[in-house]
Amino acid sequence: MHPHNRSSTSADRYKSLIDARVPSKDNSGRKGNDNSHFYSSRVKYCLEMAATLGSRALIYSVDNKNKIRVGDDVLAVDRRIQIQRVFPIDDRPQYLDHDFPVPGYHITPCGYLQLLPISHPETALDQLGRQHYRIPEKSTSTIVLRGPHSTINVSSHLHDMADHLDVGGQVTRGKHALFLVADGGPDFNVNHATNWFFYGRFFREMNLDALVVTSFCPGDSAMNPIEHLWAPCTRRLTGVALPSSLPGEMLPPSQQRLEPEDRLLKEHRVFNLAMDRIKNSYWKDLTFAGNPVTVVVEESGAGHGRYGADYQEVKQALGGSARQLRSSGLNDEYQFVVGHMDKRIGMAIFTKCKKPSCGHCRDHPPSLSAEEMDHLRKFPSPAPSLTHEGHFKTFIESHEGTRSLPCQHMPAFTAKQLGRCSEGSCRYVFGSKKDRDDHRRKYVHHR
């Protein structure tokens, strides 16, 4: 057989008469999905669109890392991960043969990887000899740590982007279009009405000319650039146990006989100490792709942030009837969001409009050129290549000739047979029967 490692001294003993060997571990397998090619092509379209805007575009790859466990008798990350640090022979670590986690004691890292386009768009040739724009490259990263008593949903992520990434300040400094590449998880999924409502609110409050939120196909989250950041984070925590009890105490607060308020206060202290230890010890001086990683701690028990105060109210209003929405006080904002949104399956594009009746866009006209705004408002949808079978057109080719309707060539769109809104200039592709019914009942189409 072939040697497991060709560079080892024992490799000469193998004759390689049988074409087989003990394989190395490979975790790259993914479930097949007919929509995968379409989704990945659309993400590339977004990155190339951002590349055409150069320094006026702001791009982030966003996602949450697997939860980090807090417990005296459990390791922070999976104990089966190989330790790569050096220890004295007679002082090597020895761990318990079972994990004994404290229920609910975990920390969630929320990650934001900035992608930087080149100042002036450049083109290159792909493997088929077709021209495409050079996509943005990995830059600095920010990780926000939150404990189990903190809210983690689309509102908290937008709070991070406003406060920790200073999106508003970057907009005033000339970053007029924001592109977000996420996975299909519940925190970011634009197919959820609550999520796209908050995205629309963020678009308005940050005075963005355009906000584009897209994702890879379900099951393809490993293709999201930020996914590669979590490997060095995990390596730094390999073999680490984060105490679940306060100094001088033997038991975690949840196992002590305490009043609910006292237990909660102690748990806040436990999680704050654990997050501070991660930030200042294990992830200190952490780098990724040659750039520094900034670690931020959101104190346990802190408020909802600037966007989360009415999260449940929004969720209830959007999940209820049209009458409930109209009586909730959110209807005007709902009409604004839908009126400025190009909603597709797994993607949402918010752009400033040209309607004289829209006070926001009249008082805050776009800073991008009319041509650039037109490209964003009519963002192309992947269509099969006429010259290369089995491939989609490139982003550059998609601007030539007749453009296909949004999601027209997405297998999921064809399978669901729900279509798109046919009223006037409304740009809304239905993702489910409920989505279609809600849109028809709740949105007022201005003709």
Side-chain angles (χ1 to χ4, degrees), residues 219 307 432:
Y307 291 99
S432 66

Side-chain angles (χ1 to χ4, degrees), residues 143-216:
I143 300 176
V144 181
L145 300 175
R146 282 188 170 84
H149 296 314
S150 299
T151 299
I152 302 175
N153 53 40
V154 65
S155 67
S156 65
H157 297 305
L158 295 178
H159 164 80
D160 292 343
M161 284 187 266
D163 284 21
H164 301 310
L165 305 180
D166 189 28
V167 168
Q170 297 195 64
V171 171
T172 59
R173 293 190 291 272
K175 307 282 189 180
H176 302 298
L178 172 62
F179 294 79
L180 299 179
V181 180
D183 64 5
D187 286 4
F188 300 100
N189 196 332
V190 296
N191 294 331
H192 300 170
T194 304
N195 287 355
W196 56 247
F197 180 90
F198 276 96
Y199 285 133
R201 174 182 289 182
F202 190 76
F203 157 77
R204 182 175 186 171
E205 292 190 5
M206 293 293 110
N207 191 26
L208 288 159
D209 286 355
L211 168 59
V212 181
V213 187
T214 190
S215 65
F216 286 97

Side-chain angles (χ1 to χ4, degrees), residues 1-4 6 11-21:
M1 294 189 295
H2 293 278
H4 176 63
R6 295 183 186 277
D12 293 339
R13 301 177 185 176
Y14 292 80
K15 303 302 181 183
S16 302
L17 298 178
I18 302 175
D19 192 18
R21 67 175 175 180

Side-chain angles (χ1 to χ4, degrees), residues 312-324:
Q312 291 301 328
E313 180 185 345
V314 170
K315 187 175 181 179
Q316 184 176 1
L318 269 59
S321 65
R323 180 179 297 179
Q324 287 176 296

Side-chain angles (χ1 to χ4, degrees), residues 7 168 227 295 438:
S7 62
E227 288 286 345
V295 182
D438 282 348

